[in-house]
Amino acid sequence: MLPTSIVIHEEGPREGFQFERQFIATARKLELIEALAQTGLAQIQVVSFVNPKRVPNMADADEVVAALRPRDGVRYTGLWLNEQGLERALRAPSLTVAGRIGLCASAPFLARNQNATPESARAAQRRMAGTFLAHGIAVDQGVIQAAFGCNYAGDVPLPVLLQTIADLLDIAAERGERIRMLTLADTMAWATPRSIREIVGAVRDKHPDLDLVLHLHDTRGMGIANAYAGMSMGVRRFDAAVGGLGGCPFAGHKGAAGNVCTEDLVFMCDEMGIETGIDLQCLIEAARLAQDIVGHELPGAVMKGGALSAMRRSLLSAQ
Amino acid sequence: MLPTSIVIHEEGPREGFQFERQFIATARKLELIEALAQTGLAQIQVVSFVNPKRVPNMADADEVVAALRPRDGVRYTGLWLNEQGLERALRAPSLTVAGRIGLCASAPFLARNQNATPESARAAQRRMAGTFLAHGIAVDQGVIQAAFGCNYAGDVPLPVLLQTIADLLDIAAERGERIRMLTLADTMAWATPRSIREIVGAVRDKHPDLDLVLHLHDTRGMGIANAYAGMSMGVRRFDAAVGGLGGCPFAGHKGAAGNVCTEDLVFMCDEMGIETGIDLQCLIEAARLAQDIVGHELPGAVMKGGALSAMRRSLLSAQ
């Protein structure tokens, strides 16, 4: 049963720019964010507050968020991996800071990506939860990295995933908080439609009240199929990146490792009668701008193949 | 309900080479075909017998089929659009010539692609059926082009599609023959998982005995999702192209317009426990060879992202 509408969290600026080797000028980053903000997207992740030595393209994150103009109906979000990053996000009035904590289902990836152990990660998330509460922010969102498998650990057994989720919910519960929205991140693109259905089903059986979000990477070409499989299980929230931008710099990938492509996802939804609130043609323009900004071809297909809605209109007007 | 196994008809050499602008040397075409024949693929479409003025890369089609070495368990197939082409195929002992007739669900595409009308196309297919029978070949396969929509006609109404199928079955029936295997071709990439499910369902309701084949183009990024949707309806036969090679030169596309990528499809099946009989690692090598031969990047993802089976093995051996 497909949902009648979905909500897309656009992560292209953050996912995409963090992945590019050459430094992208702040003005051009803002140009893409502005273009995305005009498409009907309600949530756009614009920066990550990380160490610029590890991710040089995020060195201007504070400048980017300082320059953002508020726009009705658009929430700008950021990413951080530690309290230093969170403090920077909290100083940016243009950002919506969600009380989001996260754990990783793969210890080897955690070591590489964040130089942490499962124990130190849980301790860090406990401190993070405290910081949110100290700022009056409810701790109600969670994310599980490497939920579907890991390039450094292999398949993630379902009990390990469920335990990681339980640990995360516990960290909130210790503070009297409750995670309501949980992102299952296929950080290294191990998911297929079958595992999406099985894992979403298993997590929902255990936690029927959780509002699930899928964060899908397209590294092995499964992104759109996985999103469809998620929708067929009733999932209504998806992260995506315009043009298929991005990829985690520490996931050990070659080739296009970006998030599922936003405009391809919106295209599929449009054609299947699933509302997104997003203007596909306007989004395709933003995808072309993203391609221009990064200076190389992006994997998105619909910006090259063309939207059918536009084609239908031109066929009608030619009659 | 997913099938336990599927059958892939590899069309990379035909789809891919017909689409390339520069002429590819006969020896290199044969090199790719040989590589594909070693992967476990049971059917490989190697050439189209078309006018070399329209498709210059097929000028050496007779040489290619003359040079093919027979290989146990591999059938080489060809494509033709008229009786002249069929006669060339019949002269090639290396080819398996199926008694396959076809119609197009879109009159405007038929005009552009084959310079034909629905009436002239039916007449031509009647003659073609006669030629098959004169050579002792049963007329038992059919194909419907533009089954899911058309860049020149828009959406194909279901009654039009069903009538086109009925017309095709009638052409065989007039000769006392029966179409058993029917390909629904998404020639211009209009399908989405929803329309795949709806149209496959409607065709199967009407013709429950037909063995359906999906021919899916990935022009709008839906190829793998559409294949999954087809499998979820129990479809067991798929055309595909290694590396995502190809595209119809007359479909009016920019960008990657190739068939659904064989190795990405095999990857999905491997990971979902669906047998294909194909060695994924061997197929990835063939995809890299295809990329080398055409001299530009191909859209296939798994050849860049890496197969998980190989990753699991190296993780195990590192323990």
Side-chain angles (χ1 to χ4, degrees):
Chain A
M1 194 57 190
L2 295 170
T4 55
S5 67
I6 65 163
V7 177
I8 294 176
H9 184 203
E10 168 62 41
E11 302 200 342
R14 194 271 303 170
E15 277 275 355
F17 297 146
Q18 80 179 15
F19 195 60
E20 296 298 323
R21 295 242 165 90
Q22 89 283 19
F23 187 76
I24 293 160
T26 309
R28 298 233 73 191
K29 289 173 179 157
L30 287 163
E31 196 184 338
L32 180 62
I33 296 164
E34 275 294 314
L36 289 167
Q38 292 170 44
T39 62
L41 278 161
Q43 300 178 75
I44 305 172
Q45 191 168 68
V46 292
V47 294
S48 58
F49 295 106
V50 287
N51 185 343
K53 284 187 192 141
R54 293 198 80 197
V55 188
N57 245 312
M58 287 298 150
D60 61 354
D62 301 294
E63 290 168 68
V64 168
V65 295
L68 283 179
R69 284 177 289 170
R71 182 181 285 271
D72 275 352
V74 179
R75 272 181 295 165
Y76 296 114
T77 67
L79 184 77
W80 49 87
L81 300 174
N82 54 35
E83 279 186 284
Q84 279 167 290
L86 170 56
E87 295 290 350
R88 288 168 69 192
L90 287 167
R91 284 195 295 270
S94 62
L95 290 192
T96 301
V97 176
R100 193 187 204 206
I101 57 177
L103 292 174
C104 180
S106 158
F109 182 64
L110 192 58
R112 279 174 189 259
N113 194 40
Q114 290 171 50
N115 197 23
T117 63
E119 296 70 31
S120 74
R122 285 196 295 271
Q125 297 304 307
R126 280 193 185 94
R127 288 192 300 275
M128 189 95 81
T131 307
F132 283 124
L133 293 171
H135 285 85
I137 299 167
V139 181
D140 57 3
Q141 295 188 23
V143 56
I144 305 291
Q145 297 292 341
F148 298 88
C150 172
N151 289 356
Y152 306 107
D155 297 291
V156 170
L158 184 59
V160 171
L161 174 63
L162 292 175
Q163 186 58 52
T164 311
I165 294 172
D167 289 345
L168 190 71
L169 301 188
D170 282 351
I171 291 171
E174 287 163 13
R175 297 285 192 157
E177 296 291 292
R178 186 161 145 221
I179 302 291
R180 295 173 195 277
M181 195 188 293
L182 180 74
T183 300
L184 298 175
D186 186 21
T187 315
M188 282 157 288
W190 278 58
T192 59
R194 181 173 175 166
S195 61
I196 293 280
R197 288 183 59 94
E198 287 173 356
I199 289 170
V200 164
V203 172
R204 208 161 41 194
D205 281 351
K206 194 92 179 173
H207 305 285
D209 295 338
L210 275 179
D211 192 3
L212 293 180
V213 185
L214 289 174
H215 176 94
L216 303 167
H217 279 265
D218 198 30
T219 318
R220 295 180 177 89
M222 300 295 118
I224 288 288
N226 288 344
Y228 169 69
M231 285 182 213
S232 76
M233 293 294 286
V235 174
R236 287 191 59 248
R237 295 182 185 274
F238 297 86
D239 295 341
V242 66
L245 274 168
C248 170
F250 309 111
H253 282 135
K254 281 169 287 193
N259 235 258
V260 65
C261 170
T262 315
E263 67 273 16
D264 292 2
L265 182 60
V266 170
F267 166 79
M268 178 169 73
C269 289
D270 275 5
E271 291 293 319
M272 302 204 304
I274 297 169
E275 279 179 40
T276 64
I278 296 162
D279 181 322
L280 178 56
Q281 214 54 49
C282 190
L283 186 61
I284 287 173
E285 292 307 315
R288 289 185 182 135
L289 175 65
Q291 209 165 234
D292 181 59
I293 291 173
V294 299
H296 57 80
E297 197 180 334
L298 289 173
V302 169
M303 71 167 137
K304 299 153 201 155
L308 296 181
S309 44
M311 221 166 241
R312 286 190 191 96
R313 273 196 301 275
S314 76
L315 287 167
L316 270 177
S317 67
Q319 279 177 351
Chain B
M1 193 55 189
L2 295 170
T4 55
S5 67
I6 65 163
V7 177
I8 293 177
H9 184 202
E10 169 62 42
E11 302 201 341
R14 195 271 302 169
E15 277 275 356
F17 297 148
Q18 81 179 11
F19 195 60
E20 296 298 322
R21 295 243 163 89
Q22 88 284 20
F23 187 77
I24 292 160
T26 309
R28 298 233 73 191
K29 288 172 179 158
L30 287 162
E31 196 184 338
L32 179 62
I33 296 165
E34 274 295 313
L36 290 167
Q38 292 171 44
T39 62
L41 278 161
Q43 300 179 73
I44 305 171
Q45 192 169 67
V46 292
V47 293
S48 57
F49 295 106
V50 288
N51 185 341
K53 284 187 191 140
R54 294 199 80 197
V55 188
N57 245 313
M58 287 298 150
D60 61 354
D62 301 294
E63 290 168 68
V64 167
V65 294
L68 283 179
R69 283 178 289 170
R71 182 182 284 272
D72 275 353
V74 180
R75 273 182 294 165
Y76 296 115
T77 67
L79 184 75
W80 50 86
L81 300 174
N82 55 34
E83 280 186 285
Q84 278 166 292
L86 170 57
E87 295 289 350
R88 288 167 70 191
L90 287 167
R91 284 195 295 270
S94 62
L95 290 193
T96 301
V97 176
R100 191 186 205 209
I101 57 177
L103 292 174
C104 180
S106 158
F109 181 65
L110 192 59
R112 279 176 189 257
N113 193 39
Q114 291 171 51
N115 198 23
T117 64
E119 297 70 31
S120 74
R122 285 196 295 270
Q125 297 304 307
R126 281 195 185 93
R127 289 193 299 276
M128 190 95 82
T131 307
F132 283 124
L133 292 171
H135 285 85
I137 298 168
V139 181
D140 58 2
Q141 295 188 23
V143 56
I144 305 292
Q145 297 291 340
F148 297 89
C150 171
N151 289 356
Y152 306 107
D155 296 291
V156 170
L158 184 60
V160 171
L161 174 63
L162 292 175
Q163 186 58 53
T164 311
I165 294 172
D167 289 345
L168 190 72
L169 301 188
D170 282 350
I171 291 170
E174 285 163 15
R175 297 282 192 159
E177 296 291 292
R178 188 162 144 221
I179 303 292
R180 294 173 196 279
M181 195 187 293
L182 181 74
T183 300
L184 299 175
D186 186 22
T187 316
M188 283 158 286
W190 279 58
T192 59
R194 181 173 175 165
S195 62
I196 293 280
R197 288 184 60 94
E198 287 174 354
I199 289 171
V200 164
V203 171
R204 207 160 44 193
D205 282 351
K206 193 91 178 173
H207 305 285
D209 295 339
L210 276 179
D211 192 2
L212 294 180
V213 185
L214 289 174
H215 176 94
L216 303 167
H217 279 266
D218 198 30
T219 318
R220 295 180 177 89
M222 300 294 118
I224 288 287
N226 288 343
Y228 169 68
M231 285 182 211
S232 77
M233 293 293 286
V235 175
R236 287 191 58 248
R237 295 181 184 275
F238 296 87
D239 296 341
V242 66
L245 274 168
C248 170
F250 309 111
H253 282 135
K254 282 168 286 190
N259 234 260
V260 64
C261 170
T262 315
E263 68 273 14
D264 292 1
L265 182 60
V266 170
F267 166 79
M268 179 169 73
C269 289
D270 276 7
E271 291 293 318
M272 302 203 305
I274 297 170
E275 279 179 40
T276 64
I278 296 162
D279 181 322
L280 178 57
Q281 215 54 48
C282 190
L283 186 61
I284 287 173
E285 292 306 315
R288 290 184 182 137
L289 175 64
Q291 209 165 234
D292 181 60
I293 290 173
V294 300
H296 56 81
E297 196 180 336
L298 289 173
V302 169
M303 71 167 136
K304 299 153 202 156
L308 295 181
S309 44
M311 220 165 241
R312 286 190 191 95
R313 273 195 301 275
S314 77
L315 287 167
L316 270 176
S317 68
Q319 279 178 352

